Amino acid sequence: TGFSKNIMLGKNINIYDSCKFEFSEASTIHIGSNIIFSYGVIVSCRHSLQIGDNVQIGEYTSIRDATHNYKGENPIIMKNEDLIGEVIIGNNVWIGRNCLIGPGSVIEDGVVIGANSIVKGHLEKDCIYAGSPLRKIVGWNVVQHTY
């Protein structure tokens, strides 16, 4: 439908092979500095996406701010309005390989997400999460790294 005029990018953003980015004219995207989008990452933003600084996103992870509405009024799912929710990823976050970050997710600073996890909801600062369904494994103190 067009390219967003609301894109802000920081410095030192590394995009590996086979990544895909889907934006609309209405998208608002803020991506910080020192970011790694590893191989095959998909980012789909119809409304709003924020990624802080010092974030590593593992191979084949999908970050999406919209999904199908299975509870809509129309029995044909694809004819229902999609569910849309801003995705916010804080600073110093490590997202493991093959994760799904769904609409409305908030990932606070210092979070580590284990490989193959499905994220929906609010993840508390300085904790490790993993699984499907996602669960908090442990809280921890993050050592601040400078790049």
Side-chain angles (χ1 to χ4, degrees):
T1 58
F3 199 72
S4 173
K5 296 174 180 71
N6 300 312
I7 297 176
M8 296 175 60
L9 301 175
K11 298 177 183 174
N12 193 30
I13 297 174
N14 296 288
I15 301 172
Y16 290 27
D17 292 343
S18 302
C19 290
K20 298 197 184 309
F21 296 86
E22 302 170 348
F23 305 132
S24 73
E25 289 179 12
S27 299
T28 299
I29 301 103
H30 295 179
I31 298 177
S33 295
N34 305 314
I35 310 297
I36 295 173
F37 293 98
S38 197
Y39 302 97
V41 169
I42 297 173
V43 176
S44 179
C45 177
R46 292 193 31 210
H47 173 63
S48 181
L49 169 66
Q50 294 181 41
I51 299 176
D53 296 328
N54 308 313
V55 174
Q56 298 179 61
I57 302 169
E59 301 96 342
Y60 310 108
T61 288
S62 181
I63 301 171
R64 300 176 172 276
D65 73 347
T67 191
H68 298 295
N69 182 357
Y70 293 99
K71 296 181 181 178
E73 294 178 13
N74 196 316
I76 302 172
I77 293 168
M78 294 185 328
K79 293 195 177 196
N80 290 321
E81 291 290 322
D82 284 346
L83 299 174
I84 297 174
E86 178 178 37
V87 173
I88 300 172
I89 300 172
N91 300 308
N92 304 310
V93 171
W94 180 14
I95 300 172
R97 183 182 211 272
N98 200 41
C99 291
L100 172 61
I101 312 299
S105 295
V106 175
I107 301 169
E108 291 187 5
D109 295 348
V111 168
V112 173
I113 301 170
N116 303 308
S117 296
I118 297 177
V119 176
K120 175 94 172 90
H122 195 113
L123 280 56
E124 297 173 3
K125 171 181 181 164
D126 297 333
C127 292
I128 299 172
Y129 292 84
S132 177
L134 189 74
R135 64 185 181 94
K136 182 164 52 170
I137 305 299
V138 68
W140 63 315
N141 292 326
V142 175
V143 176
Q144 295 293 327
H145 298 284
T146 48
Y147 293 84

